[in-house]
Amino acid sequence: MSEKRRRILVTSALPYANGPLHLGHMLEYIQTDIWARFQRMRGHECHYVCAEDAHGTPIMLKARQEGVEPEELIARFADSHRRDFDEFGVGFDRYYTTHSTENRELAETIYRRLDEGGYIDRRSIRQAYDEQEGMFLPDRFIRGECPRCGAGDQYGDSCEACGATYSPAELRNAVSVISGTTPVERESEHFFFRLGDFEDMLREWTGAGRGGSPYLQEAVSAKLNEWFEAGLQDWDISRDAPYFGFEIPGAPGKYFYVWLDAPIGYMAGFRKLCEETEGLEFDDFWQAGVEDETEVYHFIGKDIIYFHALFWPAMLHGANFRTPSAVFAHGFLTVDGQKMSKSRGTFIQARTWLEHLDAEYLRYYFAAKLGSGVDDIDLSLDDFINRVNSDLVGKLVNIASRSAGFIRKKFDNRLGPEMDPDGQTLYRELCEAAEPIAADYEQREYARLVRRVMELADRVNQYVSDKAPWTLAKDADREAEVQAICTAALNHFRTLAGYLRPVLPRLAEGAEHFLNIAPQDWDSLTEPLLHHEIRKFKPLITRVEREKVDAMLADSKQDLAEKPATENDEKEDKTVEDLAPEITIDDFAKVDLRVARVEQAEYVEGADKLLRLELDLGGARRQVFAGIRKVYDPEQLQGRLVVMVANLKPRKMRFGVSEGMVLCAGGDDGGLFLLSPDSGAEPGMKIS
């Protein structure tokens, strides 16, 4: 390798610590991991760090609902995330958390430097306050009727029906999604980062309106220009207690907004790595002025460009840290051309994929679709099956499987001293592709490099077919020719598998074991393997079976069509004798039945049968855990009127406190059907 050895730090956006990973998440981590593996394979120093995004109101509330401390919730999801990352081959050098001493110290340092530089303002604002819960409400925790079109059940900042944006104060009939009560307005002092003070620096860094930037993709730079034209606004970086996060120094009851300390988590994770790695220095990568010596790259989704391409570089610059070498944004993931959907079974969790399919299948398919732009990526399941089976099984691995047997049976597992002339010519062509393929990796043009490799694999398979060693092997006088052909084919396979090593690390490791060689770096891919003993060939990858894909989709539907489990598998018609013992009218009168509206419904992590429902009883808010998960998708229940037992004694469960019961009817087929009042009923109405 002739290029200078580079020193590189790579990050991916931090997964939020309140839910499992899904395939949309994995798109980014796989994209980043491929790039980092390539850099290491080229001989560069490349560190890949990430962390749990562990702060904010949603985590605080979810922990409260589950009756656990936030730290316990974070730890549980961190363990889950690490397992998924490991099985998908995502090789972090350090996976950490934003709820750490290192992150607190760095956040305080950056804040203090910005404050001393005059970039922090303090001023009072008025915002919605939940008197019952004793907390200020983020916009997304307020719902009501859109002030523009009148649509109900809309968030406090924007309407999903008409697209209007507004302030929470403009929302009609607003309620807190936490307590169900009507919020009031209260005044509070907040801290603001003066983003506008960095407009000149940011215009230069982003290239917005100036023909692009070396730090951002062209489409991203163009998008950012819209924000400059609208005017850069001061950024509210504080939140009031109660809040799970870091308290702002010298400001009791005030906390850093999660989006301030989340990107600082990149720095904190790297600082932890430096503490654990001899000779690795934090300042070499993060102090201002080191931009020519080291490189820092962020891989993110296009939905968080604003934070990473405006707030983040401005904060770093104002606090006298270096800015990123580049921010690489990618598009969203769709499945079969549509947004991921729980009801269709295409909202696929990473763990569900792993329970049915090889992780390397997905790594390869994502690579085959990813370019350097911000376009959305579609996981077409039919195309996925065909491409993996055709490319990996039918082309790449087929080269080894059709050649290895001759080397084992006739030549005692030894490659010959030379390739045949045509094989040698083709091998040189494969070697000449090393630099174009390396350039594709560097530029994140994965789909292009996959096409190059598969076109070469087609050439190799055609070479083997033309030479037909199975025919030559019948002639004892031509055995040396057979060995030369198979030696060439296995050298071709070695190089092609090496080119895909960043994409398919486990397949490459299997190929290296079979070929009896050390892990390959980029330079070794063009060194022929001659006079060499190999091992017995074993299948390196199997075909994707449609049945396994269908089973994964069925599991992703949360078993919506499956009847609930019962004590008896066989059902009989119920007779009068099967009914419960009689009760009196006085017994029945003790039951307070009320109409309730389902304001929120969600799956309960770790529970096979339960959904967590938040019910509106006409101003009062109740949490109920209902055993209807296998029959109802949460999306079906939002806004639905149900009948509930309102005076049932609360019951403490492992997942939280259940404050009532919704009524269902059971069908003869084992199905469950929620009881719903006729139209016109209102939440809180008593059923008599």
Side-chain angles (χ1 to χ4, degrees):
M1 185 185 70
S2 58
E3 63 180 319
K4 176 185 174 183
R5 187 171 187 265
R6 296 155 60 188
R7 306 188 70 200
I8 303 169
L9 172 61
V10 184
T11 76
S12 298
L14 313 184
Y16 203 49
N18 73 337
L21 300 174
H22 54 70
L23 297 194
H25 292 120
M26 295 314 304
L27 175 68
E28 178 171 310
Y29 301 107
I30 288 171
Q31 181 190 32
T32 316
D33 183 72
I34 290 171
W35 200 77
R37 286 179 182 273
F38 163 72
Q39 299 298 346
R40 297 186 194 111
M41 200 173 170
R42 290 283 277 183
H44 301 308
E45 176 187 342
C46 183
H47 310 283
Y48 181 17
V49 301
C50 196
E52 291 288 305
D53 187 357
H55 290 155
T57 301
I59 286 175
M60 179 185 73
L61 294 178
K62 188 176 183 71
R64 183 190 300 177
Q65 290 163 3
E66 295 190 10
V68 300
E69 292 300 316
E71 289 84 355
E72 182 180 338
L73 182 77
I74 295 163
R76 186 171 79 236
F77 281 114
D79 288 343
S80 167
H81 293 168
R82 285 190 187 97
R83 286 194 299 271
D84 291 346
F85 286 136
D86 286 345
E87 293 187 43
F88 270 101
V90 178
F92 299 119
D93 293 287
R94 192 56 166 94
Y95 189 75
Y96 205 36
T97 173
T98 59
H99 192 60
S100 68
T101 300
E102 293 84 359
N103 205 37
R104 180 193 296 273
E105 291 173 351
L106 283 163
E108 291 178 355
T109 295
I110 288 175
Y111 168 77
R112 186 181 66 254
R113 291 181 182 180
L114 293 175
D115 193 24
E116 292 171 352
Y119 302 123
I120 302 295
D121 277 348
R122 297 159 180 80
R123 60 177 180 265
S124 292
I125 65 169
R126 297 186 65 80
Q127 61 183 135
Y129 185 81
D130 186 320
E131 293 183 302
Q132 180 172 308
E133 293 294 321
M135 63 181 292
F136 287 97
L137 295 169
D139 294 349
R140 303 294 279 184
F141 282 77
I142 308 166
R143 297 185 78 92
E145 297 171 5
C146 172
R148 307 291 190 270
C149 72
D153 199 29
Q154 298 302 311
Y155 287 116
D157 56 357
S158 63
C159 177
E160 294 178 338
C162 71
T165 58
Y166 39 76
S167 71
E170 297 177 87
L171 205 63
R172 296 200 294 260
N173 299 318
V175 296
S176 162
V177 301
I178 304 172
S179 68
T181 61
T182 301
V184 299
E185 275 203 347
R186 281 197 180 180
E187 197 168 85
S188 175
E189 184 181 59
H190 272 228
F191 295 63
F192 290 84
F193 174 52
R194 296 168 58 92
L195 184 66
D197 288 358
F198 297 87
E199 180 167 350
D200 290 342
M201 170 261 166
L202 288 172
R203 281 189 179 275
E204 184 68 29
W205 194 84
T206 63
R210 304 186 182 188
S213 160
Y215 311 109
L216 301 169
Q217 294 129 299
E218 185 177 344
V220 171
S221 181
K223 179 66 178 177
L224 289 174
N225 194 48
E226 298 175 12
W227 282 309
F228 284 107
E229 290 176 352
L232 298 180
Q233 303 298 312
D234 290 352
W235 182 33
D236 188 345
I237 61 168
S238 66
R239 294 296 184 268
D240 293 281
Y243 192 79
F244 184 63
F246 295 142
E247 197 168 46
I248 298 175
K254 304 292 182 181
Y255 290 79
F256 288 128
Y257 175 40
V258 59
W259 262 111
L260 181 129
D261 69 66
I264 297 172
Y266 303 141
M267 304 171 76
F270 184 65
R271 171 169 281 179
K272 186 66 174 178
L273 179 64
C274 292
E275 292 171 0
E276 300 167 338
T277 307
E278 186 176 353
L280 189 60
E281 298 293 336
F282 177 84
D283 287 349
D284 289 350
F285 284 80
W286 283 108
Q287 284 301 315
V290 300
E291 289 84 353
D292 292 336
E293 303 299 324
T294 57
E295 305 167 47
V296 175
Y297 298 98
H298 302 306
F299 285 73
I300 62 166
K302 64 182 179 181
D303 54 325
I304 53 176
I305 286 171
Y306 195 92
F307 294 100
H308 284 80
L310 292 177
F311 295 142
W312 181 230
M315 283 170 50
L316 291 169
H317 183 75
N320 199 34
F321 286 105
R322 62 93 50 78
T323 52
S325 304
V327 175
F328 300 136
H330 61 80
F332 299 137
L333 178 69
T334 59
V335 179
D336 283 338
Q338 302 180 65
K339 290 177 65 176
M340 290 192 293
S341 163
K342 291 177 181 177
S343 62
R344 289 191 299 270
T346 55
F347 191 92
I348 304 168
Q349 293 186 1
R351 178 53 43 184
T352 308
W353 180 282
L354 292 167
E355 287 171 353
H356 295 278
L357 296 166
D358 192 324
E360 299 242 306
Y361 294 157
L362 190 67
R363 289 182 66 101
Y364 179 74
Y365 191 76
F366 280 168
K369 303 282 279 191
L370 275 164
S372 61
V374 294
D375 298 328
D376 292 346
I377 305 300
D378 184 52
L379 171 57
S380 167
L381 292 169
D382 287 337
D383 180 53
F384 159 74
I385 295 170
N386 293 335
R387 189 181 294 246
V388 171
N389 289 343
S390 172
D391 288 2
L392 298 186
V393 181
K395 294 181 182 179
L396 181 63
V397 176
N398 187 51
I399 298 169
S401 64
R402 68 197 305 201
S403 305
F406 296 108
I407 296 294
R408 180 175 64 86
K409 293 175 184 177
K410 292 187 171 293
F411 308 105
D412 197 25
N413 277 336
R414 289 200 66 83
L415 298 179
E418 60 184 6
M419 307 179 205
D420 87 304
D422 292 336
Q424 179 66 49
T425 299
L426 183 54
Y427 181 72
R428 284 196 295 269
E429 291 182 25
L430 267 63
C431 293
E432 289 168 359
E435 288 312 305
I437 290 172
D440 289 340
Y441 271 119
E442 183 66 43
Q443 297 160 14
R444 308 176 318 288
E445 295 290 357
Y446 301 163
R448 188 163 63 200
L449 76 86
V450 165
R451 285 195 301 272
R452 289 185 197 270
V453 172
M454 286 306 143
E455 287 169 1
L456 292 170
D458 282 333
R459 297 275 306 281
V460 175
N461 277 293
Q462 186 61 53
Y463 159 78
V464 176
S465 295
D466 291 344
K467 293 296 181 179
W470 46 87
T471 300
L472 299 178
K474 297 174 184 178
D475 186 344
D477 294 334
R478 305 190 71 175
E479 284 191 352
E481 194 174 344
V482 172
Q483 187 180 29
I485 292 167
C486 293
T487 296
L490 290 176
N491 270 278
H492 300 154
F493 168 72
R494 170 180 177 253
T495 299
L496 295 177
Y499 286 154
L500 291 178
R501 198 178 203 280
V503 178
L504 301 168
R506 289 175 185 149
L507 187 147
E509 287 170 7
E512 289 159 357
H513 177 79
F514 154 62
L515 293 169
N516 195 22
I517 58 175
Q520 300 192 91
D521 59 28
W522 202 259
D523 289 344
S524 68
L525 299 180
T526 55
E527 298 171 359
L529 201 62
L530 305 172
H531 290 295
H532 180 79
E533 183 175 345
I534 63 174
R535 294 186 174 97
K536 181 180 179 180
F537 178 79
K538 295 179 181 179
L540 297 173
I541 196 165
T542 58
R543 293 177 59 82
V544 181
E545 301 296 338
R546 180 76 222 192
E547 293 78 9
K548 291 185 177 181
V549 174
D550 291 340
M552 177 193 66
L553 293 176
D555 278 4
S556 298
K557 289 180 182 177
Q558 307 289 347
D559 299 324
L560 295 179
E562 180 182 327
K563 66 182 181 182
T566 57
E567 292 183 4
N568 300 306
D569 290 332
E570 295 182 3
K571 292 293 177 182
E572 299 176 349
D573 290 339
K574 295 291 180 181
T575 63
V576 174
E577 287 75 24
D578 294 317
L579 298 176
E582 291 181 346
I583 62 172
T584 68
I585 189 66
D586 293 331
D587 293 324
F588 182 71
K590 296 177 182 178
V591 181
D592 186 2
L593 298 180
R594 300 273 178 161
V595 176
R597 175 181 286 115
V598 180
E599 292 295 321
Q600 186 173 343
E602 63 183 15
Y603 295 112
V604 178
E605 182 71 22
D608 295 333
K609 299 178 182 179
L610 296 180
L611 293 181
R612 190 186 75 82
L613 309 178
E614 286 191 15
L615 304 177
D616 175 15
L617 277 172
R621 195 82 164 200
R622 296 287 181 85
Q623 172 177 267
V624 171
F625 291 93
I628 57 176
R629 174 174 178 152
K630 294 189 176 180
V631 227
Y632 287 98
D633 188 313
E635 294 174 352
Q636 298 174 286
L637 300 177
Q638 299 280 1
R640 179 168 176 167
L641 294 178
V642 297
V643 177
M644 76 169 292
V645 180
N647 63 335
L648 189 66
K649 184 178 179 179
R651 182 162 66 100
K652 187 174 177 66
M653 305 176 69
R654 179 160 64 97
F655 310 101
V657 177
S658 188
E659 303 170 309
M661 176 187 293
V662 293
L663 300 187
C664 295
D668 292 340
D669 61 354
L672 283 177
F673 305 92
L674 276 169
L675 300 186
S676 297
D678 292 338
S679 60
E682 293 290 338
M685 185 179 290
K686 186 175 178 64
I687 297 176
S688 56

